[in-house]
Amino acid sequence: MESFWIDSIKNNIEFDTLNEDKETDICIVGAGIFGLTCAYYLSNLGYHVTVLEKYEIGEKTTGHSTAKITSQHGLFYDYLIQSYGEKYAKDYLEANEKAIKNIKQIIDKEKIECDFEYQNNYVYTTKPEEVRAIKKEVLALEQIGFQNCDFVTKTGLPFEIAGAICFKKQAQFNPMKYVMGLAKNVVSNNGEIYTNTTVTDVKNEDGLYVVNTENNKVKSKYVIIASHYPFINFPGFYFAKMYQSTSYVIAVDTKKTLFNGMYINFTNPIFSYRTAKWNEKEILLVAGGDHKTGQPTAYQDSYGILEKEVKKYYPDCDIISKWSTRDCIPIDKIPYVGAYSNIMPNMYVGTGFKKWGMSSSNVAANIIVDNIIGKTNKYAYLFDSTRLKPIKNRDEMKNMIVQSTNSLFLDKIKKPNMKFEEIKNNSGGIIEVNSEKIGIYKNENGKIYAVKPVCTHLGCLLSWNDVEKTWDCPCHGSRFNYEGKNIYDPAFRDLEIYNLDT
Ligand code: FES
């Protein structure tokens, strides 16, 4: 199951793995859209940047997103006014509107061919009883003086809606073509990018940072952690402030003329729609099936629900590809951007962009760059990464604590609920042998793969994901394939495996 964004740039440009020690001005850990946007701006300012990426460029979150560039982050502005006040909501909106313009400016200046197009963005409902929430959001936007939106009852969608709020002149693009364009520019500015290079820790030595990889080190004055989920646990404590959410995307050849606009509803089941270009054809992307990463899900609740929905309107459609994605969700719903921690000067972070990383990553990159060059950024206060304000979203907080505690402690003493012979081919589960938990996956032919199902981040018990054949962590969302190889952070080490041949 592969994202067609990633397919669209295969063999486009190749990077080396780091194989010697380096010194640089700024070391950036992570080559997704946020890391590469920082690298782009900083290398254009004359800094020498070195970017270290565990996988390939954009291969994780960026290459699996729906790539809507918008300041409309669900029904969010009424929440912001209620929680943080009018000025805060207005600045948040302005920062994200500016990000759309910044991205367009980069694309024009660097002539990046990435299928960028302006589109209106809609948050809609098909349920009359939910129209009130949309109208409340319209009023909130009026209150902060936003002219660029309307309440509408008609859209291009192939079904009737009860109401929607439309943000005009938002945008969509191919995120992989965009990040490749950024990367090329970084390299032409003498920046260095290394892929398949895993950072294991960052240490401060005599006022400089030493970023250690598995075999080498990079010394720099500044470090930017752009690795999706920050992997340094102490200080920072990001593991206590965010969880990961999984959602699913299908790319569909509808064989019909499609509509304009990007769409998402706001209560479960969530469905998100946008069009995209594929081999000169216009296709439809449908996303949804959201759940907390690590919670068990079934095919019918993930890809299945999307396929069923799209076939209602396009019965003759073909599914071209499907993929899942993970997003970091801060408990108070606000990204963390700025200093990694108060006790680590010159080390920065940008994370927790929720489902809206295309615009938020540009906002974040500008804040970090301004910080490094000593310029005031009027939006920096919005995302203060060291904030210690009381968490407003108490339900989310409680939920996360209960789930982490369950997984860290209670699940370890509970009896596993599977016996070896109960695990069917092409499926997995946890069994117990001599009081030891073992994660078993049997492939289609009955070949057995056995791992220690304990997360290498902070030790939570993993759960088997039968849709994607992976071991997922319910605490902070790390994932491992059935062979135990780490495929998603914040963990970066592979699982212990049991050799069944001996
Ligand atoms: Fe934190 Fe697994 S991701 S314990």
Side-chain angles (χ1 to χ4, degrees):
M1 296 190 193
E2 188 56 283
S3 149
F4 87 93
W5 301 133
I6 293 173
D7 271 353
S8 71
I9 53 95
K10 272 205 173 132
N11 302 324
N12 190 307
I13 175 167
E14 288 191 355
F15 299 94
D16 293 332
T17 297
L18 184 70
N19 59 13
E20 59 180 331
D21 295 352
K22 294 272 174 187
E23 287 196 20
T24 185
D25 295 333
I26 300 164
C27 181
I28 299 172
V29 182
I33 189 169
F34 168 56
L36 286 172
T37 306
C38 291
Y40 168 82
Y41 284 131
L42 289 163
S43 63
N44 270 294
L45 286 168
Y47 288 94
H48 184 261
V49 300
T50 300
V51 184
L52 306 176
E53 166 58 49
K54 181 174 179 184
Y55 307 101
E56 295 292 343
I57 280 184
E59 196 188 51
K60 290 294 160 181
T61 316
T62 304
H64 288 80
S65 77
T66 51
K68 297 174 178 175
I69 314 165
T70 176
S71 60
Q72 191 180 27
H73 299 174
L75 296 185
F76 200 44
Y77 290 96
D78 181 56
Y79 164 81
L80 288 182
I81 293 173
Q82 301 308 326
S83 304
Y84 304 100
E86 245 177 69
K87 178 178 176 344
Y88 187 100
K90 198 172 174 183
D91 285 347
Y92 184 101
L93 175 69
E94 195 178 284
N96 281 282
E97 280 286 302
K98 202 163 172 205
I100 303 170
K101 293 193 180 87
N102 291 341
I103 291 170
K104 179 71 166 81
Q105 240 172 35
I106 294 174
I107 290 168
D108 289 347
K109 181 165 174 259
E110 309 305 340
K111 300 188 176 33
I112 301 174
E113 286 178 17
C114 58
D115 305 330
F116 178 97
E117 55 182 337
Y118 286 116
Q119 290 279 357
N120 292 344
N121 194 58
Y122 299 78
V123 176
Y124 73 91
T125 181
T126 53
K127 301 173 189 161
E129 65 275 18
E130 287 180 355
V131 171
R132 211 167 141 254
I134 291 186
K135 291 202 164 156
K136 215 169 154 209
E137 182 76 351
V138 175
L139 286 178
L141 285 151
E142 270 173 25
Q143 195 181 333
I144 57 174
F146 188 52
Q147 312 282 340
N148 218 15
C149 67
D150 284 325
F151 175 77
V152 296
T153 52
K154 294 268 174 251
T155 68
L157 286 168
F159 50 82
E160 292 295 317
I161 61 156
I165 178 166
C166 165
F167 275 35
K168 293 175 199 153
K169 213 174 175 193
Q170 309 295 293
Q172 62 186 24
F173 64 176
N174 178 325
M176 289 305 288
K177 289 184 179 172
Y178 178 68
V179 292
M180 276 298 162
L182 294 178
K184 280 181 189 161
N185 191 273
V186 170
V187 171
S188 70
N189 286 333
N190 296 319
E192 297 178 47
I193 299 175
Y194 297 97
T195 55
N196 297 302
T197 299
T198 303
V199 172
T200 55
D201 64 23
V202 180
K203 296 223 173 344
N204 195 316
E205 286 177 12
D206 305 325
L208 284 184
Y209 284 105
V210 178
V211 178
N212 289 303
T213 68
E214 278 163 334
N215 302 309
N216 298 97
K217 56 177 104 169
V218 178
K219 255 188 192 176
S220 65
K221 179 171 179 192
Y222 300 98
V223 173
I224 301 171
I225 302 295
S227 59
H228 179 60
Y229 202 117
F231 63 96
I232 300 167
N233 299 316
F234 313 105
F237 299 95
Y238 291 95
F239 65 87
K241 306 191 267 199
M242 296 193 300
Y243 62 93
Q244 295 205 58
S245 168
T246 298
S247 49
Y248 303 84
V249 187
I250 57 172
V252 187
D253 180 359
T254 63
K255 301 175 187 162
K256 293 260 164 72
T257 306
L258 287 170
F259 44 79
N260 284 321
M262 308 179 289
Y263 300 87
I264 191 165
N265 62 341
F266 60 95
T267 50
N268 284 330
I270 299 283
F271 295 110
S272 152
Y273 301 91
R274 65 157 279 192
T275 55
K277 288 206 171 64
W278 177 70
N279 294 344
E280 303 308 314
K281 248 187 193 177
E282 194 173 38
I283 59 161
L284 182 64
L285 300 186
V286 187
D290 306 38
H291 61 86
K292 187 170 178 281
T293 304
Q295 281 177 347
T297 191
Y299 190 88
Q300 68 266 22
D301 301 319
S302 51
Y303 297 110
I305 192 171
L306 304 179
E307 288 170 10
K308 195 169 158 203
E309 188 67 10
V310 83
K311 281 185 177 160
K312 276 193 212 164
Y313 314 110
Y314 305 103
D316 299 325
C317 69
D318 287 335
I319 313 287
I320 302 161
S321 63
K322 44 182 126 174
W323 63 89
S324 67
T325 185
R326 267 123 220 111
D327 297 291
C328 291
I329 315 288
I331 293 167
D332 63 4
K333 303 187 186 175
I334 305 296
Y336 289 98
V337 181
Y340 195 89
S341 124
N342 283 328
I343 58 168
M344 298 180 95
N346 298 336
M347 180 155 146
Y348 300 97
V349 68
T351 188
F353 300 141
K354 303 173 288 172
K355 313 270 176 189
W356 310 105
M358 300 297 110
S359 56
S360 302
S361 60
N362 185 278
V363 175
N366 276 289
I367 291 172
I368 305 294
V369 170
D370 284 350
N371 219 307
I372 288 174
I373 64 174
K375 188 173 152 197
T376 304
N377 184 302
K378 72 178 275 200
Y379 308 117
Y381 83 97
L382 296 168
F383 308 102
D384 176 10
S385 46
T386 58
R387 63 186 176 265
L388 285 170
K389 291 175 196 148
I391 300 286
K392 304 217 185 273
N393 202 332
R394 287 179 191 282
D395 286 347
E396 289 279 23
M397 184 71 177
K398 210 168 109 197
N399 228 334
M400 188 157 144
I401 290 170
V402 168
Q403 287 190 30
S404 297
T405 312
N406 269 346
S407 189
L408 273 167
F409 304 111
L410 301 182
D411 281 358
K412 289 200 171 54
I413 50 175
K414 269 193 228 157
K415 282 273 172 222
N417 54 7
M418 294 206 90
K419 291 199 172 70
F420 181 80
E421 53 281 10
E422 288 171 351
I423 299 173
K424 299 194 178 86
N425 284 4
N426 202 23
S427 188
I430 294 176
I431 61 164
E432 196 166 286
V433 178
N434 298 335
S435 307
E436 180 122 4
K437 289 190 190 306
I438 301 180
I440 297 287
Y441 166 63
K442 295 181 187 172
N443 77 4
E444 300 83 348
N445 307 317
K447 183 172 176 192
I448 298 158
Y449 297 83
V451 300
K452 183 170 179 179
V454 175
C455 183
T456 56
H457 177 227
L458 289 173
C460 285
L461 189 69
L462 301 172
S463 46
W464 175 249
N465 174 339
D466 208 38
V467 176
E468 303 195 90
K469 314 302 174 199
T470 56
W471 292 101
D472 296 355
C473 182
C475 288
H476 318 107
S478 293
R479 299 179 68 220
F480 306 83
N481 72 10
Y482 58 80
E483 291 175 300
K485 190 168 166 33
N486 173 243
I487 52 171
Y488 255 97
D489 52 10
F492 56 86
R493 292 199 169 84
D494 298 341
L495 298 178
E496 269 179 54
I497 54 168
Y498 294 102
N499 187 348
L500 299 177
D501 298 332
T502 54

